[in-house]
């Protein structure tokens, strides 16, 4: 059996990512308030709140898995850092984008902060592409 050894950089990023789970827990509590009708929101805002919370959880988990794989690639320099940070940055931008784009009393459509979603999607694509290609060519 082979022992898994994380680089110092991946270990530090993983530690920081794990700490963000507390904010996702808070989001889960907030979602229960929304579901019980305790927070006045439009249907659009409820949908974006669910999407933001869901993306946060899934992308944080994918971030942690990706860090394990990043150290198994032969990537160096910018490509290695893209493989390590693309998904965690996407988790922040995409979930934050859903929340920010739906902010405001009575909002029924995304506001100008919807750009965060698209930058997050680009970060996610760059992260998984560099990680996947790095694993295939290792």
């Amino acid at each position: 059996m082979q022992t898994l050894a994380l680089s110092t950089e991946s270990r530090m990023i993983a530690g920081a990512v794990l700490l963000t789970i507390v904010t996702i827990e808070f989001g889960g509590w907030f979602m229960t308030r929304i579901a019980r009708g305790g927070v006045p929101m439009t249907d659009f805002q409820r949908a974006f709140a669910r999407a933001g919370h869901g993306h946060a959880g899934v992308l944080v988990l994918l971030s942690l898995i990706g860090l394990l794989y990043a150290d198994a690639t032969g990537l160096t320099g910018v490509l290695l850092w893209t493989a390590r940070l693309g998904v965690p940055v996407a988790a922040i931008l995409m979930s934050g984008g859903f929340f920010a784009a739906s902010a405001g009393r009575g909002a029924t459509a995304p506001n100008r902060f919807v750009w965060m979603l698209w930058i997050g999607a680009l970060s996610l694509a760059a992260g998984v592409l560099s990680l996947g290609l790095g694993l295939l060519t290792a």
Side-chain angles (χ1 to χ4, degrees):
M1 180 178 250
Q2 192 174 17
T3 302
L4 175 67
L6 280 177
S7 65
T8 300
E9 295 84 359
S10 289
R11 187 176 48 79
M12 298 298 284
I13 296 166
V17 168
L18 281 166
L19 294 176
T20 69
I21 292 174
V22 174
T23 65
I24 298 169
E25 287 180 308
F26 175 78
W29 169 78
F30 188 68
M31 290 301 299
T32 64
R33 290 192 58 223
I34 293 169
R36 290 184 309 220
V39 180
M41 291 186 151
T42 65
D43 288 341
F44 159 73
Q45 289 172 315
R46 274 190 292 281
F48 263 47
R50 280 192 306 273
H53 185 65
H55 277 77
V58 168
L59 293 176
V60 161
L61 288 175
L62 182 59
S63 297
L64 293 169
I65 295 164
L67 287 167
L68 297 173
Y69 286 130
D71 286 346
T73 69
L75 296 173
T76 60
V78 172
L79 283 176
L80 176 57
W81 281 102
T82 302
R84 281 182 180 145
L85 291 175
V87 181
V89 168
I92 294 165
L93 289 172
M94 292 182 82
S95 59
F98 278 112
F99 296 121
S102 62
R105 183 164 293 176
T108 58
N111 62 31
R112 64 186 169 165
F113 290 108
V114 75
W115 65 266
M116 292 173 66
L117 287 169
W118 304 120
I119 301 299
L122 288 173
S123 181
L124 177 62
V128 296
L129 283 172
S130 61
L131 184 56
L133 292 172
L135 288 168
L136 290 172
T137 59

